Amino acid sequence: MTWTAPELAALSASASLELSAGPGDASVEVGFVLVDGTLFVRAFRGPGSRWFQSAANHRRGRVRVGSLSRAVAFAADGERSAEIDEAYRAKYGAASLVTNAEARAATLRISPADHSTVDGRGPRVST
């Protein structure tokens, strides 16, 4: 599935999103970037971050931005590190905390999904 035009507009207008992964209602506010219509997040504390571990283990969750609330799937994605670094610097400035090696190792691509596609049967995110 891909993001709809209204979803991309809501994401583009926001500095951060609320992300939850796995069971329960706990969420974390994180910065994110869009690269060619693909949503990426990074954990500035690296793969040991609790929210990253939860997303890696459950491979499903939800994002919220304003009135947008969407079921999502998480996947590791280290293929576009330079583009993602550039997008973070453009959005958050030269002092962005997620353009170092540790944060790059905790890069997730977030894709929209319906509940039937985020049942935990997809490939695990390697940590």
Side-chain angles (χ1 to χ4, degrees), residues 54-108:
S54 185
N57 290 330
H58 295 285
R59 300 173 309 277
R60 63 179 187 228
R62 181 161 291 281
V63 295
R64 289 178 191 84
V65 173
S67 62
L68 167 67
S69 179
R70 189 71 153 96
V72 295
F74 304 109
D77 194 322
E79 298 299 315
R80 303 174 76 179
S81 289
E83 291 174 273
I84 297 167
D85 284 353
E86 184 178 317
Y88 269 107
R89 287 186 191 108
K91 186 171 183 175
Y92 299 106
S96 178
L97 298 174
V98 292
T99 57
N100 59 48
E102 187 173 22
R104 278 186 209 105
T107 302
L108 294 173

Side-chain angles (χ1 to χ4, degrees), residues 95-122:
S96 178
L97 298 174
V98 292
T99 57
N100 59 48
E102 187 173 22
R104 278 186 209 105
T107 302
L108 294 173
R109 180 181 65 245
I110 301 178
S111 302
D114 62 30
H115 292 288
S116 65
T117 61
V118 290
D119 63 1
R121 288 186 235 165

Side-chain angles (χ1 to χ4, degrees), residues 31-52:
F32 68 93
V33 294
L34 288 165
V35 176
D36 298 328
T38 303
L39 177 62
F40 294 95
V41 294
R42 285 181 172 167
F44 79 93
R45 290 190 177 121
S49 170
R50 281 197 285 169
W51 72 260
F52 178 84

Side-chain angles (χ1 to χ4, degrees), residues 5-23:
E7 290 170 332
L8 286 171
L11 289 164
S12 295
S14 183
S16 62
L17 58 79
E18 287 183 41
L19 178 146
S20 59

